[in-house]
């Protein structure tokens, strides 16, 4: 566990900027908030802490060659948020693989009942989106500690 945490911290410190540059945060924010506005829901804020958790999971899936909501260490989104230092009370996660653009991944999630439900969750207030090499996408939506 300590090795995994040390590796994840190093990955975040060494690789966050390069990976984060693959996602247009403003376009992602506009896309999700347009969807939410169409349902009279309040807009979400972009969270750097949620981005850390999303990047951790995207990179874990890429490195270990799997695709799942369960991390290689058995973690779920809640545990990954805790690893990233995010005190949460509501959380959800969308993952996708293969989409080549933000528009493509957002359209796919909007057309999927479960993913759309996560993006329209009334109790979340923040989100982040990460993309790893190989077009592995992770969106984390959450509300900080209640």
């Amino acid at each position: 566990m300590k090795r995994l945490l040390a590796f994840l911290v190093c990955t975040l410190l060494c690789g966050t900027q390069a990976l984060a540059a693959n996602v247009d945060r403003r376009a992602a924010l506009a896309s999700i908030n347009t969807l939410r506005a169409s349902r009279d829901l309040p807009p979400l804020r972009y969270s750097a802490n949620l981005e850390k958790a999303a990047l951790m999971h995207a990179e874990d899936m890429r490195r270990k060659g799997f695709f799942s909501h369960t991390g290689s260490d058995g973690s779920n989104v809640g545990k990954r948020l805790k690893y990233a230092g995010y005190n949460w009370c509501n959380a959800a996660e969308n993952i996708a693989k293969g989409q080549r653009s933000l528009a493509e991944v957002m359209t796919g999630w909007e057309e999927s009942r479960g993913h759309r439900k996560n993006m329209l969750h009334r109790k979340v207030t923040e989100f982040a989106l990460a993309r790893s090499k190989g077009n592995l996408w992770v969106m984390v939506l959450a509300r900080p500690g209640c």
Side-chain angles (χ1 to χ4, degrees):
M1 180 62 101
K2 288 181 182 179
R3 278 186 164 164
L4 175 62
L5 288 175
F7 179 77
L8 293 174
V9 168
C10 180
T11 299
L12 288 174
L13 294 175
C14 301
T16 299
Q17 294 299 351
L19 293 170
N22 289 329
V23 175
D24 182 340
R25 292 180 188 125
R26 290 179 197 207
L29 189 62
S31 180
I32 196 165
N33 284 334
T34 297
L35 174 67
R36 289 176 64 84
S38 73
R39 305 300 197 287
D40 293 323
L41 293 170
L44 300 179
R45 294 180 307 272
Y46 201 88
S47 167
N49 284 335
L50 292 181
E51 186 176 86
K52 289 177 188 176
L55 282 167
M56 275 193 277
H57 191 49
E59 278 299 288
D60 183 34
M61 288 191 292
R62 182 192 64 77
R63 279 189 324 277
K64 301 284 175 85
F66 71 97
F67 183 71
S68 174
H69 287 284
T70 302
S72 64
D73 63 350
S75 65
N76 60 21
V77 66
K79 193 172 253 186
R80 289 188 293 274
L81 288 175
K82 185 177 178 181
Y83 291 160
Y86 189 89
N87 181 27
W88 63 278
C89 69
N90 291 299
E93 178 181 72
N94 289 347
I95 61 173
K97 182 178 180 180
Q99 293 81 354
R100 294 180 181 208
S101 69
L102 175 63
E104 194 177 338
V105 77
M106 292 300 290
T107 298
W109 282 333
E110 288 177 29
E111 292 175 353
S112 163
R113 193 172 109 201
H115 294 106
R116 184 177 57 251
K117 182 179 176 182
N118 286 344
M119 294 189 297
L120 296 173
H121 197 295
R122 292 186 176 275
K123 294 185 178 181
V124 299
T125 58
E126 300 180 336
F127 93 108
L129 181 62
R131 178 186 187 185
S132 183
K133 291 180 182 178
N135 292 314
L136 286 162
W137 299 82
V138 178
M139 175 185 281
V140 179
L141 307 104
R143 179 181 186 152
C146 297

